[in-house]
Amino acid sequence: MSGTPVDIGMLTGVWQIDPAYSEVSFTVRHLMVRVRGGFTRFSGTITVGDEPARSSVRAEVDTTSVDSRNAERDEQVRAVGFLDTKNHPMASFESARVGRKDGRYVVEGQLMIRGAMHTVAFDLFLLGVETDGSGWVRAGFRAYSRISRSQFGVTGNVPLSGGRVLIGDTVTLEAEIQAVKER
């Protein structure tokens, strides 16, 4: 929530994520390049209070909807060594604290993947607030964080020579969100 001057009164309220105009994605290293993927089904609610500490975020991602633009890779990501979507079809995030740090907003909360829950902090940016042609107020947000996939039990990998592995442990999570304010 930085960079765009917005009257806090326009933001205060409850917002529903509009999946038609939003994206939840990830990036991970494969050999020497980054591979990007995302999820096509997700939902969430953003509640903005009159100050950051009174704000919250709740989101769910259908992990079975993973899409990396490669069907074979998507099946591997759904498998037991990775997201294990048969036993864990949902990932979720629930904020515990929203605050400012070093001139930016940070949303800290519990991220659950494969049933493992850990505290994760997302950097958050407000991209703007506009009223659409139908009179709905919409806000754009961008959030990102880096996690260790092995910390969440996502351990599938292939060993390579020299002690290296095929897939990196650090995953960048990113959400580009357009949310609609409840009337």
Short mmCIF file of all heavy atoms in Angstrom, two decimals, residues 8 18 22 29 39 41 46 48 51 70 77 83-85 96 101 110 112 119 132-133 152 157-158 164 180:
data_model
loop_
_atom_site.label_atom_id
_atom_site.label_comp_id
_atom_site.label_asym_id
_atom_site.label_seq_id
_atom_site.Cartn_x
_atom_site.Cartn_y
_atom_site.Cartn_z
N ILE A 8 -7.76 7.10 2.60
CA ILE A 8 -7.96 5.86 3.34
C ILE A 8 -9.43 5.49 3.43
O ILE A 8 -9.78 4.32 3.47
CB ILE A 8 -7.30 5.93 4.75
CG1 ILE A 8 -7.25 4.53 5.39
CG2 ILE A 8 -8.05 6.88 5.65
CD1 ILE A 8 -6.31 3.59 4.75
N ASP A 18 -11.19 -10.70 -7.03
CA ASP A 18 -11.83 -11.04 -8.30
C ASP A 18 -10.86 -11.90 -9.10
O ASP A 18 -9.92 -11.40 -9.70
CB ASP A 18 -12.18 -9.77 -9.07
CG ASP A 18 -12.93 -10.04 -10.36
OD1 ASP A 18 -12.99 -11.23 -10.78
OD2 ASP A 18 -13.46 -9.08 -10.94
N SER A 22 -7.13 -11.36 -11.50
CA SER A 22 -6.07 -11.55 -10.51
C SER A 22 -5.21 -12.75 -10.91
O SER A 22 -5.61 -13.57 -11.74
CB SER A 22 -6.66 -11.80 -9.13
OG SER A 22 -7.45 -10.71 -8.72
N ARG A 29 13.67 -22.20 -9.26
CA ARG A 29 14.79 -22.51 -10.14
C ARG A 29 14.74 -23.97 -10.58
O ARG A 29 14.54 -24.87 -9.77
CB ARG A 29 16.12 -22.24 -9.44
CG ARG A 29 17.34 -22.50 -10.35
CD ARG A 29 18.66 -22.45 -9.61
NE ARG A 29 18.73 -23.28 -8.43
CZ ARG A 29 18.88 -24.61 -8.42
NH1 ARG A 29 18.96 -25.27 -9.55
NH2 ARG A 29 18.95 -25.27 -7.28
N PHE A 39 -1.81 -20.69 -10.28
CA PHE A 39 -3.01 -21.43 -9.93
C PHE A 39 -4.20 -20.70 -10.56
O PHE A 39 -4.27 -19.47 -10.52
CB PHE A 39 -3.16 -21.51 -8.41
CG PHE A 39 -2.01 -22.22 -7.76
CD1 PHE A 39 -0.92 -21.51 -7.31
CD2 PHE A 39 -2.01 -23.60 -7.65
CE1 PHE A 39 0.18 -22.16 -6.75
CE2 PHE A 39 -0.93 -24.26 -7.09
CZ PHE A 39 0.16 -23.54 -6.63
N ARG A 41 -7.51 -21.36 -9.75
CA ARG A 41 -8.66 -21.25 -8.85
C ARG A 41 -8.18 -20.81 -7.46
O ARG A 41 -7.38 -21.51 -6.82
CB ARG A 41 -9.42 -22.56 -8.78
CG ARG A 41 -10.13 -22.89 -10.10
CD ARG A 41 -11.03 -24.12 -9.98
NE ARG A 41 -10.32 -25.33 -9.61
CZ ARG A 41 -9.72 -26.16 -10.47
NH1 ARG A 41 -9.73 -25.90 -11.76
NH2 ARG A 41 -9.12 -27.27 -10.02
N ILE A 46 -10.08 -9.32 1.66
CA ILE A 46 -9.17 -8.33 2.23
C ILE A 46 -10.03 -7.35 3.02
O ILE A 46 -10.95 -6.75 2.46
CB ILE A 46 -8.39 -7.58 1.13
CG1 ILE A 46 -7.62 -8.57 0.27
CG2 ILE A 46 -7.49 -6.51 1.73
CD1 ILE A 46 -7.15 -8.01 -1.05
N VAL A 48 -9.85 -3.90 5.09
CA VAL A 48 -8.99 -2.76 5.34
C VAL A 48 -9.62 -1.91 6.43
O VAL A 48 -10.74 -1.41 6.29
CB VAL A 48 -8.77 -1.92 4.05
CG1 VAL A 48 -7.88 -0.72 4.35
CG2 VAL A 48 -8.18 -2.78 2.94
N GLU A 51 -6.67 1.91 10.02
CA GLU A 51 -5.21 1.91 10.14
C GLU A 51 -4.73 0.49 9.85
O GLU A 51 -5.49 -0.47 10.00
CB GLU A 51 -4.76 2.40 11.52
CG GLU A 51 -5.30 1.59 12.67
CD GLU A 51 -4.89 2.19 14.01
OE1 GLU A 51 -5.24 3.34 14.28
OE2 GLU A 51 -4.19 1.47 14.75
N ASN A 70 2.73 -26.68 -18.81
CA ASN A 70 3.28 -27.96 -19.22
C ASN A 70 2.53 -29.05 -18.44
O ASN A 70 2.73 -29.19 -17.24
CB ASN A 70 4.78 -28.01 -18.93
CG ASN A 70 5.41 -29.31 -19.35
OD1 ASN A 70 5.12 -30.37 -18.79
ND2 ASN A 70 6.28 -29.24 -20.34
N VAL A 77 3.97 -31.75 -10.17
CA VAL A 77 3.77 -30.80 -9.06
C VAL A 77 2.59 -31.24 -8.19
O VAL A 77 2.60 -31.04 -6.97
CB VAL A 77 3.57 -29.37 -9.60
CG1 VAL A 77 3.19 -28.40 -8.48
CG2 VAL A 77 4.85 -28.89 -10.28
N LEU A 83 3.19 -31.05 -4.14
CA LEU A 83 2.03 -30.50 -3.43
C LEU A 83 1.09 -31.57 -2.87
O LEU A 83 0.26 -31.26 -2.01
CB LEU A 83 1.25 -29.54 -4.35
CG LEU A 83 1.98 -28.26 -4.72
CD1 LEU A 83 1.13 -27.41 -5.66
CD2 LEU A 83 2.36 -27.46 -3.48
N ASP A 84 1.18 -32.79 -3.34
CA ASP A 84 0.33 -33.88 -2.85
C ASP A 84 -1.13 -33.43 -2.82
O ASP A 84 -1.80 -33.47 -1.80
CB ASP A 84 0.80 -34.35 -1.47
CG ASP A 84 0.09 -35.60 -1.00
OD1 ASP A 84 -0.56 -36.29 -1.83
OD2 ASP A 84 0.18 -35.90 0.20
N THR A 85 -1.62 -33.01 -3.98
CA THR A 85 -2.96 -32.40 -4.05
C THR A 85 -4.08 -33.38 -3.73
O THR A 85 -5.17 -32.94 -3.35
CB THR A 85 -3.21 -31.77 -5.43
OG1 THR A 85 -3.15 -32.77 -6.44
CG2 THR A 85 -2.19 -30.67 -5.71
N ALA A 96 -1.96 -12.33 10.42
CA ALA A 96 -1.97 -12.11 11.86
C ALA A 96 -1.67 -10.66 12.17
O ALA A 96 -2.06 -10.14 13.22
CB ALA A 96 -0.95 -13.02 12.54
N LYS A 101 7.03 -1.44 7.51
CA LYS A 101 8.41 -1.78 7.81
C LYS A 101 9.28 -1.20 6.71
O LYS A 101 9.05 -1.46 5.53
CB LYS A 101 8.60 -3.30 7.88
CG LYS A 101 10.01 -3.72 8.25
CD LYS A 101 10.11 -5.21 8.35
CE LYS A 101 11.54 -5.59 8.70
NZ LYS A 101 11.68 -7.05 8.80
N GLN A 110 -0.08 -16.79 8.72
CA GLN A 110 0.14 -18.23 8.64
C GLN A 110 -0.18 -18.73 7.24
O GLN A 110 -1.31 -18.61 6.76
CB GLN A 110 -0.74 -18.96 9.66
CG GLN A 110 -0.39 -18.62 11.10
CD GLN A 110 1.02 -19.06 11.44
OE1 GLN A 110 1.39 -20.22 11.26
NE2 GLN A 110 1.83 -18.13 11.92
N MET A 112 -0.36 -22.06 4.91
CA MET A 112 -0.46 -23.51 5.04
C MET A 112 -0.36 -24.14 3.65
O MET A 112 -1.12 -23.79 2.75
CB MET A 112 -1.76 -23.95 5.68
CG MET A 112 -1.81 -25.45 5.90
SD MET A 112 -3.30 -26.05 6.69
CE MET A 112 -4.50 -25.70 5.43
N THR A 119 4.81 -19.22 9.63
CA THR A 119 4.65 -17.76 9.54
C THR A 119 5.44 -17.27 8.33
O THR A 119 6.62 -17.61 8.16
CB THR A 119 5.16 -17.09 10.82
OG1 THR A 119 4.39 -17.57 11.92
CG2 THR A 119 5.01 -15.57 10.72
N ASP A 132 -15.18 1.15 -11.54
CA ASP A 132 -15.36 0.63 -12.90
C ASP A 132 -16.64 1.18 -13.54
O ASP A 132 -17.38 1.94 -12.91
CB ASP A 132 -15.30 -0.90 -12.93
CG ASP A 132 -16.48 -1.58 -12.24
OD1 ASP A 132 -17.53 -0.95 -12.02
OD2 ASP A 132 -16.35 -2.79 -11.94
N GLY A 133 -16.91 0.79 -14.76
CA GLY A 133 -18.06 1.30 -15.51
C GLY A 133 -19.40 0.92 -14.91
O GLY A 133 -20.42 1.54 -15.23
N PHE A 152 7.78 -26.71 3.98
CA PHE A 152 6.38 -27.09 3.89
C PHE A 152 6.20 -28.55 3.43
O PHE A 152 5.11 -28.96 3.08
CB PHE A 152 5.64 -26.16 2.92
CG PHE A 152 5.48 -24.77 3.47
CD1 PHE A 152 6.45 -23.80 3.22
CD2 PHE A 152 4.38 -24.42 4.24
CE1 PHE A 152 6.31 -22.51 3.72
CE2 PHE A 152 4.24 -23.15 4.75
CZ PHE A 152 5.21 -22.19 4.50
N ASN A 157 12.66 -33.93 -5.69
CA ASN A 157 13.83 -33.39 -6.36
C ASN A 157 14.60 -34.51 -7.04
O ASN A 157 14.30 -35.69 -6.83
CB ASN A 157 14.75 -32.63 -5.41
CG ASN A 157 15.32 -31.39 -6.03
OD1 ASN A 157 15.53 -31.33 -7.24
ND2 ASN A 157 15.56 -30.38 -5.22
N VAL A 158 15.59 -34.15 -7.83
CA VAL A 158 16.48 -35.10 -8.49
C VAL A 158 17.90 -34.66 -8.21
O VAL A 158 18.27 -33.51 -8.51
CB VAL A 158 16.22 -35.12 -10.02
CG1 VAL A 158 17.22 -36.03 -10.72
CG2 VAL A 158 14.79 -35.53 -10.32
N ARG A 164 24.62 -31.00 -6.36
CA ARG A 164 23.54 -30.09 -6.75
C ARG A 164 22.23 -30.86 -6.91
O ARG A 164 22.22 -32.08 -6.92
CB ARG A 164 23.89 -29.40 -8.07
CG ARG A 164 25.13 -28.52 -7.97
CD ARG A 164 25.57 -27.93 -9.30
NE ARG A 164 25.79 -28.99 -10.29
CZ ARG A 164 25.25 -29.00 -11.51
NH1 ARG A 164 24.49 -28.02 -11.92
NH2 ARG A 164 25.51 -30.00 -12.35
N VAL A 180 -12.76 -6.31 -5.34
CA VAL A 180 -13.98 -5.50 -5.46
C VAL A 180 -14.51 -5.21 -4.06
O VAL A 180 -14.68 -6.12 -3.24
CB VAL A 180 -15.06 -6.25 -6.29
CG1 VAL A 180 -16.31 -5.40 -6.42
CG2 VAL A 180 -14.51 -6.63 -7.66
#
